[in-house]
Amino acid sequence: MLTIAVSKGRIYDEALPLLADADIVPLDDPKTSRKLILKTNHADVQLVIIRATDVPTFVEYGAADIGIAGKDVLIEHESDNLYEPIDLNIACCKLMTAAPTNAPDISGRVRVATKYIKTAERYFASKGIQAEIIKLYGAMELAPIVGLADCIVDVVDTGNTLRANGLEPRELIMNISSRLVVNKASMKMKHQIIQPLLDQFEKTIAAR
């Protein structure tokens, strides 16, 4: 059985055409189904639908052979047990700092609200800024408003949510896209199954 881990939402929606080009079609629609394991048109291929942040963990420990995850999640996960062969160039966004509109530039010592703990620590250290990291997993835009933090580090797409809450994007940390990741052991043991799938993904991406 080949297991592919992917999260609901934008990543799944944009990965679906890639999977279809590789002749992998789920028999149930994850938008309407409550199933977490989806059978496909191939009896030996299944999808597992999990949180985006859990995708690299499932792949690293062999619960899934392949996963589709954002580069932000992979960098934060920091695993040497994953191959990252393909940039799928989907679910693209930016990882940025953001602060209240017209607030002074970030410098000195700051409090930063984010779920990207390791990435934020490395970024501010590289700029010589002493950062106190406050871990939040949601509603980060509230942190500067209520005085919990001076700024946030989060992914930004349109920036509309930031602006609606009196914040503005400041500094780009990195551009983000979703990547295909493969369990190293699976790549060896299931190479004859996985490699054609990787080749098809690359062919589809190149044709765009």
Side-chain angles (χ1 to χ4, degrees):
M1 178 68 71
L2 182 71
T3 300
I4 303 173
V6 66
S7 59
K8 283 186 177 182
R10 182 182 174 188
I11 289 180
Y12 180 86
D13 292 342
E14 295 190 26
L16 197 60
L18 294 175
L19 291 168
D21 285 340
D23 191 32
I24 298 175
V25 179
L27 300 183
D28 294 292
D29 185 350
K31 292 182 179 179
T32 56
S33 174
R34 298 184 67 86
K35 295 178 182 178
L36 300 180
I37 299 178
L38 302 181
K39 295 180 179 179
T40 72
N41 55 325
H42 295 278
D44 58 348
V45 179
Q46 64 182 5
L47 305 181
V48 292
I49 309 300
I50 55 180
R51 289 176 63 94
T53 52
D54 291 336
V55 170
T57 301
F58 269 62
V59 178
E60 178 180 6
Y61 288 95
D65 304 293
I66 296 172
I68 298 175
K71 184 63 176 177
D72 53 329
V73 172
L74 295 173
I75 289 176
E76 191 70 14
H77 186 73
E78 286 187 329
S79 173
D80 294 326
N81 297 316
L82 301 174
Y83 288 123
E84 190 181 311
I86 304 175
D87 181 350
L88 300 175
N89 199 30
I90 61 173
C92 298
C93 55
K94 300 177 185 296
L95 186 65
M96 302 190 71
T97 65
T101 303
N102 298 323
D105 291 339
I106 299 168
S107 62
R109 180 180 175 87
V110 295
R111 289 178 299 163
V112 183
T114 186
K115 65 179 178 181
Y116 300 103
I117 309 300
K118 298 174 185 176
T119 305
E121 287 176 342
R122 287 192 296 265
Y123 174 75
F124 285 104
S126 72
K127 297 180 70 65
I129 296 175
Q130 187 175 0
E132 177 186 355
I133 306 298
I134 300 170
K135 185 188 296 185
L136 290 179
Y137 288 103
M140 273 175 279
E141 294 84 1
L142 286 175
I145 298 173
V146 299
L148 180 61
D150 302 302
C151 66
I152 68 173
V153 169
D154 201 6
V155 291
V156 177
D157 186 7
T158 64
N160 290 338
T161 302
L162 292 177
R163 287 188 286 273
N165 289 282
L167 305 180
E168 61 182 6
R170 291 290 181 88
E171 298 182 8
L172 174 68
I173 298 176
M174 68 180 71
N175 291 307
I176 300 297
S177 59
S178 290
R179 313 297 174 98
L180 194 75
V181 292
V182 184
N183 176 275
K184 286 187 174 180
S186 296
M187 191 65 188
K188 295 177 181 178
M189 297 174 62
K190 301 181 181 181
H191 186 268
Q192 291 183 332
I193 302 174
I194 292 176
Q195 190 58 55
L197 179 61
L198 301 185
D199 292 342
Q200 184 58 54
F201 274 123
E202 290 184 329
K203 180 180 177 181
T204 300
I205 293 167
R208 288 186 170 184

